[in-house]
Amino acid sequence: MRIDIITVLPELLKSPFEASILKRAIEKGLVEVHFHNLRDYTDKSYNQVDDYQFGGGAGMVLMIEPIDKCISTLKAEREYDEVIYMTPDGDTLNQKMANSLSLLKNIIILCGHYKGVDQRVRDLFITREVSVGDYVLSGGELGAAILCDSIIRLIPGVLNNETSALTDTFQDNLLAPPVYTRPAEYKGMKVPDVLLSGNFPKIEQWREDQAQKRTEKLRPDLLEQ
Ligand code: ADE
């Protein structure tokens, strides 16, 4: 998979890809992530990429021209399955969306900033708008990092057995069961006996029951989906 991220603040985005699972996925060649600074695509003085909005009002808007140049340059080199715009008014990211995006070959992610982008960018280039939740971030970068993390860990080979995504919370619309590690007793608090029993069918059954109970208690809405 190849991900091209267009941003005015690449430095805000890079560190999540330089550690742990995402770093390893890149090193293994399972995913390529490329950052494109929008300021490299403007002819204006001071590398200007934003301007006041027509009609007045507070906040700057990213201009269409540098975005057009950047997206057109990328599209001339390869075909893209999706051109995603990060925005609080997009479809809210969930596990199902991450699963389906993880199957794609090439995607572009455009990070919004200030008041957002000129509407014509959305009309012309964007195939999908994604929000990471009902709150407003200062820009799309942190949302893009969340989106990329949720996608990349699902690419076959990125996680090993111990970190398998199959047992993640949400994979079957259930929250994950509780987990424990050594010591078996801490300050009088004991690990459930079943987990120490070595009886794997019983352990599996216990985990399923716990996942069901936890979901009923904490996120009953998931069971209605
Ligand atoms: N940009 C600003 N807020 C955002 C959000 N909630 N999700 C995605 N991109 C954003």
Side-chain angles (χ1 to χ4, degrees), residues 86-88 130-133 135-137 139-140:
M86 300 308 300
T87 173
V130 176
S131 162
V132 293
Y135 44 83
V136 177
L137 300 168

PDB file of all heavy atoms in Angstrom, residues 86-88 130-133 135-137 139-140, ligand 1:
ATOM      1  N   MET A  86      -9.430  15.030   5.337  1.00  0.00           N
ATOM      2  CA  MET A  86      -9.675  14.948   6.779  1.00  0.00           C
ATOM      3  C   MET A  86     -10.458  16.183   7.204  1.00  0.00           C
ATOM      4  O   MET A  86      -9.991  17.316   7.036  1.00  0.00           O
ATOM      5  CB  MET A  86      -8.346  14.907   7.554  1.00  0.00           C
ATOM      6  CG  MET A  86      -7.422  13.749   7.233  1.00  0.00           C
ATOM      7  SD  MET A  86      -8.188  12.119   7.334  1.00  0.00           S
ATOM      8  CE  MET A  86      -8.699  12.076   9.045  1.00  0.00           C
ATOM      9  N   THR A  87     -11.631  15.975   7.778  1.00  0.00           N
ATOM     10  CA  THR A  87     -12.479  17.100   8.156  1.00  0.00           C
ATOM     11  C   THR A  87     -13.490  16.666   9.219  1.00  0.00           C
ATOM     12  O   THR A  87     -13.968  15.519   9.175  1.00  0.00           O
ATOM     13  CB  THR A  87     -13.235  17.651   6.912  1.00  0.00           C
ATOM     14  OG1 THR A  87     -14.185  18.637   7.321  1.00  0.00           O
ATOM     15  CG2 THR A  87     -13.972  16.550   6.150  1.00  0.00           C
ATOM     16  N   PRO A  88     -13.804  17.558  10.163  1.00  0.00           N
ATOM     17  CA  PRO A  88     -14.757  17.147  11.206  1.00  0.00           C
ATOM     18  C   PRO A  88     -16.153  16.862  10.654  1.00  0.00           C
ATOM     19  O   PRO A  88     -16.946  16.198  11.323  1.00  0.00           O
ATOM     20  CB  PRO A  88     -14.776  18.326  12.183  1.00  0.00           C
ATOM     21  CG  PRO A  88     -14.079  19.445  11.511  1.00  0.00           C
ATOM     22  CD  PRO A  88     -13.232  18.885  10.421  1.00  0.00           C
ATOM     23  N   VAL A 130     -13.309  12.118   5.777  1.00  0.00           N
ATOM     24  CA  VAL A 130     -13.223  11.320   7.003  1.00  0.00           C
ATOM     25  C   VAL A 130     -12.983  12.220   8.218  1.00  0.00           C
ATOM     26  O   VAL A 130     -12.124  13.102   8.196  1.00  0.00           O
ATOM     27  CB  VAL A 130     -12.079  10.277   6.900  1.00  0.00           C
ATOM     28  CG1 VAL A 130     -11.929   9.508   8.203  1.00  0.00           C
ATOM     29  CG2 VAL A 130     -12.325   9.315   5.742  1.00  0.00           C
ATOM     30  N   SER A 131     -13.755  11.960   9.268  1.00  0.00           N
ATOM     31  CA  SER A 131     -13.572  12.615  10.561  1.00  0.00           C
ATOM     32  C   SER A 131     -13.087  11.571  11.558  1.00  0.00           C
ATOM     33  O   SER A 131     -13.448  10.400  11.454  1.00  0.00           O
ATOM     34  CB  SER A 131     -14.911  13.194  11.023  1.00  0.00           C
ATOM     35  OG  SER A 131     -14.880  13.468  12.402  1.00  0.00           O
ATOM     36  N   VAL A 132     -12.285  11.998  12.523  1.00  0.00           N
ATOM     37  CA  VAL A 132     -11.880  11.047  13.564  1.00  0.00           C
ATOM     38  C   VAL A 132     -12.726  11.213  14.823  1.00  0.00           C
ATOM     39  O   VAL A 132     -12.453  10.576  15.835  1.00  0.00           O
ATOM     40  CB  VAL A 132     -10.370  11.140  13.907  1.00  0.00           C
ATOM     41  CG1 VAL A 132      -9.529  10.673  12.726  1.00  0.00           C
ATOM     42  CG2 VAL A 132      -9.976  12.535  14.348  1.00  0.00           C
ATOM     43  N   GLY A 133     -13.762  12.019  14.753  1.00  0.00           N
ATOM     44  CA  GLY A 133     -14.637  12.148  15.919  1.00  0.00           C
ATOM     45  C   GLY A 133     -15.288  13.518  15.963  1.00  0.00           C
ATOM     46  O   GLY A 133     -14.847  14.450  15.280  1.00  0.00           O
ATOM     47  N   TYR A 135     -15.267  16.353  17.342  1.00  0.00           N
ATOM     48  CA  TYR A 135     -14.552  17.429  18.012  1.00  0.00           C
ATOM     49  C   TYR A 135     -13.676  18.063  16.947  1.00  0.00           C
ATOM     50  O   TYR A 135     -13.423  17.458  15.912  1.00  0.00           O
ATOM     51  CB  TYR A 135     -13.711  16.902  19.181  1.00  0.00           C
ATOM     52  CG  TYR A 135     -12.944  15.648  18.825  1.00  0.00           C
ATOM     53  CD1 TYR A 135     -11.718  15.729  18.168  1.00  0.00           C
ATOM     54  CD2 TYR A 135     -13.460  14.387  19.107  1.00  0.00           C
ATOM     55  CE1 TYR A 135     -11.030  14.579  17.822  1.00  0.00           C
ATOM     56  CE2 TYR A 135     -12.775  13.230  18.745  1.00  0.00           C
ATOM     57  CZ  TYR A 135     -11.559  13.339  18.117  1.00  0.00           C
ATOM     58  OH  TYR A 135     -10.887  12.201  17.762  1.00  0.00           O
ATOM     59  N   VAL A 136     -13.230  19.294  17.209  1.00  0.00           N
ATOM     60  CA  VAL A 136     -12.463  19.992  16.178  1.00  0.00           C
ATOM     61  C   VAL A 136     -10.989  20.049  16.553  1.00  0.00           C
ATOM     62  O   VAL A 136     -10.631  20.476  17.647  1.00  0.00           O
ATOM     63  CB  VAL A 136     -13.021  21.413  15.954  1.00  0.00           C
ATOM     64  CG1 VAL A 136     -12.181  22.159  14.923  1.00  0.00           C
ATOM     65  CG2 VAL A 136     -14.470  21.336  15.494  1.00  0.00           C
ATOM     66  N   LEU A 137     -10.152  19.567  15.642  1.00  0.00           N
ATOM     67  CA  LEU A 137      -8.696  19.635  15.802  1.00  0.00           C
ATOM     68  C   LEU A 137      -8.189  20.888  15.100  1.00  0.00           C
ATOM     69  O   LEU A 137      -8.891  21.480  14.275  1.00  0.00           O
ATOM     70  CB  LEU A 137      -8.049  18.406  15.171  1.00  0.00           C
ATOM     71  CG  LEU A 137      -8.473  17.044  15.747  1.00  0.00           C
ATOM     72  CD1 LEU A 137      -7.997  15.912  14.849  1.00  0.00           C
ATOM     73  CD2 LEU A 137      -7.931  16.884  17.157  1.00  0.00           C
ATOM     74  N   GLY A 139      -6.009  20.971  12.890  1.00  0.00           N
ATOM     75  CA  GLY A 139      -5.761  20.660  11.488  1.00  0.00           C
ATOM     76  C   GLY A 139      -5.998  19.181  11.291  1.00  0.00           C
ATOM     77  O   GLY A 139      -6.235  18.441  12.254  1.00  0.00           O
ATOM     78  N   GLY A 140      -5.897  18.734  10.051  1.00  0.00           N
ATOM     79  CA  GLY A 140      -6.182  17.326   9.764  1.00  0.00           C
ATOM     80  C   GLY A 140      -5.040  16.372  10.089  1.00  0.00           C
ATOM     81  O   GLY A 140      -5.205  15.159  10.029  1.00  0.00           O
TER      82      GLY A 140
HETATM   83  N1  ADE B   1      -9.727  18.337  11.210  1.00  0.00           N
HETATM   84  C1  ADE B   1     -10.191  19.051  12.240  1.00  0.00           C
HETATM   85  N2  ADE B   1     -10.950  18.335  13.056  1.00  0.00           N
HETATM   86  C2  ADE B   1     -10.985  17.062  12.526  1.00  0.00           C
HETATM   87  C3  ADE B   1     -11.614  15.852  12.902  1.00  0.00           C
HETATM   88  N3  ADE B   1     -12.381  15.768  13.978  1.00  0.00           N
HETATM   89  N4  ADE B   1     -11.412  14.780  12.119  1.00  0.00           N
HETATM   90  C4  ADE B   1     -10.651  14.873  11.008  1.00  0.00           C
HETATM   91  N5  ADE B   1     -10.040  15.977  10.605  1.00  0.00           N
HETATM   92  C5  ADE B   1     -10.192  17.085  11.354  1.00  0.00           C
END
